[in-house]
Amino acid sequence: MTAVVTPGAPPTAPGGPAERPPRRRLTPYWLLLPAGLWLAVFFVAPLIYQASTSVQTGSLEEGYRVTWHFATYWDVLDKYGEHFLRSFGYAAAATVLCLLIGYPLAYMIAFRAGRWRNVLLVMVIAPFFTSFLIRTLAWKTILSDGGPVVGALEALHILDVTSWLGLTSDERVLATPLAVVCGLTYNFLPFMILPLYSSLERIEPSLHEAARDLYATPATTFRKVTFPLSLPGVVAGTLLTFIPASGDYINAQLLGSPNTQMVGNAIQKQFLNVLDYPTAAAMSFVLMALILIAVTLYMRRAGTEELV
């Protein structure tokens, strides 16, 4: 059989599709170029600079030079191990609270809000229109001694329990671990709600109808259908909450005390007060490495293959 060649058609390889022009093949790479340059300038370059700083020795007066002094990392783990544990503990507690508060709210917005859905979503993201610092200062007023929150907790005898657990002290909430966790929970709650809502909103209503047709109770439908299908949102929300909360220092600075300082506060102090740049850089890298390890283990445990 003789092949028919259409005038003006692009040349084709024998038995294969038409070959794309070289310019079209390069189009995706040109589109990626701005983002690649942004990452190179504002992420890769600072990362390399911090890695170099972490293995330097010297002083601010004499100058620093690279001596490959890796002992700084061991000194950081030995001296600031408590700060790392406290940061991860506070971040984990805030993440759990955000999940417990955010999941019912996201569920209600996705399935029960009706025409109020957009209004509720705007209310969720409305705090972002206010400065992070201002929102945290507001919690300092809310949790102040003699305020309505402390009075209500005293009336309900909840402060006795939290004091026994070590979350509060001397019948006050401010400058305690509970205040820091409350601030973290409030400030990062939208990061939990929005991924959960996005995941729940994609669930087909017909699946719930099918579960009812099979005589499943609402609890069984949630346990067997809704929650498993929303696990991608749970994973995304927990990561978006835990990672920034681990390195936060504003809440511990404004709502906590010297006994509730997180690793972010120690890094800030080393960079701005002590001016010990190698130690601060090493602390930053240790924090990043620990978060990366925790996230990797978490993703392996809650991987995509286990979410369905």
Side-chain angles (χ1 to χ4, degrees), residues 40-92:
V41 173
F42 295 103
F43 179 74
V44 177
L47 198 64
I48 295 174
Y49 178 78
Q50 288 286 48
S52 171
T53 303
S54 66
V55 292
Q56 292 178 1
T57 55
S59 64
L60 193 62
E61 294 79 11
E62 300 174 356
Y64 294 96
R65 67 181 186 278
V66 177
T67 57
W68 306 106
H69 190 259
F70 290 100
T72 305
Y73 286 90
W74 300 111
D75 296 338
V76 162
L77 290 173
D78 180 61
K79 186 176 181 180
Y80 297 99
E82 184 178 354
H83 289 73
F84 285 103
L85 293 176
R86 188 181 297 127
S87 297
F88 290 136
Y90 290 170

Side-chain angles (χ1 to χ4, degrees), residues 14-27:
E19 185 179 357
R20 291 187 300 172
R23 185 175 298 178
R24 178 175 293 183
R25 289 202 305 268
L26 294 176
T27 299

